[in-house]
Amino acid sequence: MRKPKVNRMVLAMCLWCFIMVIFYFHSNLKPASAQGSGRSSGQGKSGRSPLQMLYDSDQLEQSAVQVTHQGRRELLEDACRSYTRKRRVLIPEDLKHIIVDDQHGLLYCYVPKVACTNWKRVLMVLTGAAGPRRDPLAIPANEAHVPGNLRTLSEYSTSQINQRLRSYLKFVFVREPFERLVSAYRNKFTRSYNTAFHKRYGTKIIRQHRTDPQAEALERGDDVSFKEFVYYLVDPATQREEPFNEHWERVHSLCHPCLIHYDVVGKYETLEQDSRYVLQLAGVKGQVTFPTSAKSTRTTGDMAAQFFHSISPFYQKKLYNLYHMDFLLFNYSTPEYLKFQ
């Protein structure tokens, strides 16, 4: 007579345990975009993270800007499927260019010569690294590039990296590859104040790619021609000796857009509009303004054409092959001024 009573007690205990398990999982399974540490979930005043703001069609209507960015994402994904043969696992070295803003749930892959100084300034304001300064332009350019002011994704543990890649808004800004390359050359090799680059790279380029260089040129390295710079880039020995400097490294090698799904691909050509869009998604549009730059000093397509005029079709083709993936992935047309076509 006692056996049925024992069975009922065991059944009741099992049922109670089952209900507790259901309750536990229900309380712990939150959307990935809402998980984080403290405010590291990046939720704004609306209670939505930037990633949720981007993909929540109920919150944001499909504006022309959204349609543009959706098209860019789709073009990038299609290009990755078409032109990359096999995927690999990300390693910490791949993540050194990705800046983390835990407070607002942002991951930004910075690309030199694509307004990265101003984006670093903005992120210093947002993360508190700028102190009481609220105007990004109040932060000196050299301070924006000081290592340690902003954290990079490579500094986190594997689980923390994965959580942020899943739940944070990931964005990158790109630029027409040859305009970016000419901009890097102008900034690093034609400005008298960049003596570190002259010593580090200019002397090497002159030694390896100039016939009968003068002793002064070998010592100073401050008169590298664009043609010599191109010879240096396309020389297979260059990358065998060491990786490209970040200022002329290809975007796909810096930011790995076929391994990391970027939610926003901003372009230098639409910099102000795209920057406002990112700040809107982050819920900080009224708190910080992206600085506008002096357009008169920008490297343009016409300027790039002038520099390429001195480059033979043979070396134009070699250089284009070197940067081909950046043209493909980010939907940039082959420049009309190239002679090898």
Side-chain angles (χ1 to χ4, degrees):
M1 293 296 293
R2 296 180 61 187
K3 191 172 183 180
K5 186 175 180 180
V6 171
N7 289 341
R8 284 196 298 272
M9 290 179 63
V10 171
L11 182 62
M13 287 293 293
C14 290
L15 182 61
W16 182 82
C17 291
F18 178 74
I19 291 171
M20 290 302 295
V21 168
I22 293 292
F23 176 78
Y24 173 82
F25 278 101
H26 179 73
S27 62
N28 281 276
L29 284 177
K30 300 177 182 178
S33 57
Q35 292 177 355
S37 54
R39 270 191 57 87
S40 69
S41 61
Q43 291 186 344
K45 293 179 181 178
S46 67
R48 289 178 170 85
S49 72
L51 193 61
Q52 289 171 324
M53 290 286 285
L54 177 68
Y55 291 107
D56 189 349
S57 58
D58 293 333
Q59 176 68 18
L60 292 173
E61 295 180 4
Q62 280 286 321
S63 65
V65 174
Q66 283 181 286
V67 171
T68 295
H69 285 279
Q70 182 178 339
R72 289 177 187 173
R73 287 193 300 272
E74 292 171 354
L75 283 168
L76 177 57
E77 290 169 7
D78 289 344
C80 286
R81 281 194 294 268
S82 299
Y83 299 108
T84 56
R85 295 175 183 173
K86 54 185 179 181
R87 297 177 65 86
R88 63 174 178 80
V89 176
L90 286 165
I91 59 175
E93 185 72 23
D94 298 328
L95 308 174
K96 288 187 174 180
H97 267 247
I98 299 180
I99 294 172
V100 181
D101 176 359
D102 279 324
Q103 187 172 352
H104 299 93
L106 301 174
L107 295 178
Y108 162 59
C109 186
Y110 72 91
V111 178
K113 309 312 300 176
V114 193
C116 76
T117 301
N118 280 340
W119 264 115
K120 287 181 178 181
R121 286 166 162 157
V122 168
L123 288 167
M124 284 180 68
V125 171
L126 292 179
T127 60
R133 294 168 294 186
R134 305 305 300 169
D135 178 7
L137 289 179
I139 304 169
N142 61 332
E143 185 180 341
H145 297 295
V146 171
N149 278 342
L150 295 165
R151 295 193 70 183
T152 63
L153 195 56
S154 61
E155 300 172 36
Y156 292 78
S157 69
T158 300
S159 62
Q160 291 172 327
I161 288 170
N162 290 333
Q163 184 267 324
R164 283 159 177 77
L165 285 172
R166 284 196 309 270
S167 61
Y168 284 15
L169 182 83
K170 299 169 290 296
F171 68 100
V172 61
F173 275 75
V174 300
R175 184 177 186 177
E176 200 279 341
F178 283 171
E179 288 181 26
R180 174 176 171 250
L181 186 66
V182 171
S183 178
Y185 166 76
R186 291 178 64 215
N187 180 255
K188 300 306 176 187
F189 295 107
T190 70
R191 303 287 191 266
S192 59
Y193 55 79
N194 267 323
T195 54
F197 268 81
H198 300 161
K199 289 284 188 180
R200 174 74 174 80
Y201 295 100
T203 54
K204 178 189 294 187
I205 292 171
I206 291 170
R207 184 172 64 252
Q208 296 177 346
H209 300 286
R210 183 178 296 182
T211 305
D212 298 325
Q214 298 296 313
E216 184 180 5
L218 288 170
E219 171 66 23
R220 295 170 62 91
D222 60 354
D223 65 343
V224 172
S225 70
F226 184 66
K227 184 183 294 185
E228 290 167 340
F229 180 51
V230 170
Y231 292 165
Y232 163 78
L233 292 174
V234 301
D235 185 351
T238 298
Q239 289 191 79
R240 284 201 299 267
E241 291 177 6
E242 61 180 346
F244 275 167
N245 180 275
E246 63 179 12
H247 291 84
W248 46 85
E249 179 61 281
R250 286 73 51 92
V251 176
H252 74 269
S253 295
L254 292 175
C255 296
H256 309 284
C258 293
L259 298 176
I260 297 171
H261 176 84
Y262 286 96
D263 307 294
V264 176
V265 178
K267 292 201 170 186
Y268 193 73
E269 296 78 12
T270 50
L271 176 62
E272 293 177 14
Q273 173 183 288
D274 295 344
S275 297
R276 284 196 302 270
Y277 182 54
V278 172
L279 295 178
Q280 175 190 341
L281 292 171
V284 296
K285 193 176 177 183
Q287 301 172 34
V288 63
T289 302
F290 188 84
T292 55
S293 58
K295 295 184 178 181
S296 61
T297 62
R298 288 185 181 181
T299 299
T300 63
D302 290 341
M303 196 178 295
Q306 294 174 14
F307 278 88
F308 273 84
H309 184 72
S310 64
I311 309 300
S312 71
F314 175 78
Y315 281 101
Q316 286 184 3
K317 179 64 173 176
K318 289 176 75 71
L319 192 67
Y320 180 78
N321 289 342
L322 192 61
Y323 289 87
H324 189 210
M325 282 301 293
D326 279 0
F327 279 98
L328 288 174
L329 293 175
F330 304 113
N331 198 32
Y332 284 107
S333 303
T334 305
E336 293 182 359
Y337 55 76
L338 296 181
K339 304 170 189 172
F340 66 81
Q341 303 179 68

